[in-house]
Amino acid sequence: DTGVSQDPRHKITKRGQNVTFRCDPISEHNRLYWYRQTLGQGPEFLTYFQNEAQLEKSRLLSDRFSAERPKGSFSTLEIQRTEQGDSAMYLCASSLSGLAGVDTQYFGPGTRLTVL
Amino acid sequence: SQQGEEDPQALSIQEGENATMNCSYKTSINNLQWYRQNSGRGLVHLILIRSNEREKHSGRLRVTLDTSKKSSSLLITASRAADTASYFCATALNTGGFKTIFGAGTRLFVKA
């Protein structure tokens, strides 16, 4: 399968612990996005990368959240000192830059985080 | 906060009927996209319409965009039970970047 993959698919942690998620985009895609989705809502934009550069971050991304894409390929999203409000599905998407204003994103299956 | 708002929040129809979902947004956009999400396949891109386009078709899907009203509609014709899913509109903001904002979605249930 050459789609976007995410690991782990499920994570249960205790409040205060740190967690890290990984996203492997489609191999030739240079853009990578992170979103958070809670039940009954649409995905909320967190951040995106073009190659290894993090170009935009949402205000939702507090200082407990950090994302990296060190070699312009896979990306990690770390949440430090998790809180119960962090419980959500974390989605990764990738895209290939093309025509101006056109950016079709392909989504991974997500990592479901539960903070107890 | 979400940029787009879908209407209705939920829709239940019989197989074979058409389903229409609407999306409104607030700021200037580069393009608008519709995605489908179900538990089996995650978020799947359906169709994209650029800000200078007014209508687009893809199979049983028809999307319209009215930038003066900041609204879009998605029509699914001859619906099937397999179309049961949540449908989201997503707008790429005209800010020079590629930040994409999703609405809260319309939950479509197609009864066989």
Side-chain angles (χ1 to χ4, degrees):
Chain A
D1 188 297
T2 57
V4 178
S5 62
Q6 292 186 247
D7 182 69
R9 296 290 304 275
H10 303 273
K11 178 70 177 178
I12 300 174
T13 190
K14 292 182 179 179
R15 185 163 51 96
Q17 298 293 306
N18 299 344
V19 294
T20 300
F21 310 141
R22 177 181 170 123
C23 171
D24 286 272
I26 293 171
S27 60
E28 67 269 23
H29 284 186
N30 58 345
R31 292 200 184 109
L32 188 147
Y33 300 76
W34 284 101
Y35 295 86
R36 180 174 68 187
Q37 186 177 25
T38 54
L39 194 63
Q41 298 297 315
E44 294 178 291
F45 172 84
L46 293 178
T47 188
Y48 92 92
F49 293 83
Q50 176 135 335
N51 300 313
E52 65 274 10
Q54 188 173 18
L55 296 186
E56 193 158 357
K57 290 171 61 173
S58 165
R59 280 172 284 182
L60 292 172
L61 217 65
S62 74
D63 56 4
R64 296 184 299 106
F65 288 72
S66 63
E68 294 183 343
R69 195 182 183 199
K71 297 181 181 178
S73 56
F74 74 92
S75 176
T76 58
L77 177 68
E78 180 183 18
I79 309 174
Q80 296 182 327
R81 305 180 304 281
T82 52
E83 302 172 355
Q84 288 184 323
D86 297 331
S87 294
M89 178 75 86
Y90 289 84
L91 297 166
C92 174
S94 70
S95 69
L96 179 64
S97 58
L99 295 173
V102 178
D103 190 48
T104 298
Q105 297 175 38
Y106 296 85
F107 281 80
T111 294
R112 182 169 295 284
L113 173 66
T114 302
V115 182
L116 302 176
Chain B
S1 63
Q2 308 287 53
Q3 146 92 317
E5 293 185 2
E6 284 92 341
D7 171 59
Q9 291 185 334
L11 181 61
S12 181
I13 59 174
Q14 293 287 345
E15 204 166 33
E17 295 180 338
N18 295 343
T20 300
M21 289 159 266
N22 303 296
C23 168
S24 60
Y25 59 91
K26 298 174 184 174
T27 61
S28 178
I29 61 172
N30 279 328
N31 63 69
L32 185 143
Q33 304 178 55
W34 286 90
Y35 287 81
R36 180 182 66 213
Q37 184 177 41
N38 57 33
S39 57
R41 293 194 59 194
L43 265 163
V44 175
H45 180 263
L46 295 177
I47 194 166
L48 178 148
I49 186 165
R50 295 186 179 89
S51 58
N52 62 352
E53 297 176 314
R54 291 297 166 258
E55 187 172 314
K56 204 160 182 182
H57 296 254
S58 176
R60 294 185 295 114
L61 306 179
R62 173 178 169 255
V63 170
T64 61
L65 179 64
D66 187 335
T67 52
S68 66
K69 294 181 180 178
K70 292 187 169 59
S71 68
S72 173
S73 67
L74 171 67
L75 169 67
I76 304 174
T77 60
S79 62
R80 305 166 182 168
D83 294 329
T84 295
S86 291
Y87 291 82
F88 297 93
C89 70
T91 49
L93 303 186
N94 190 17
T95 57
F98 286 88
K99 182 175 179 177
T100 303
I101 306 297
F102 284 76
T106 291
R107 280 129 198 93
L108 173 66
F109 182 65
V110 181
K111 293 178 279 188

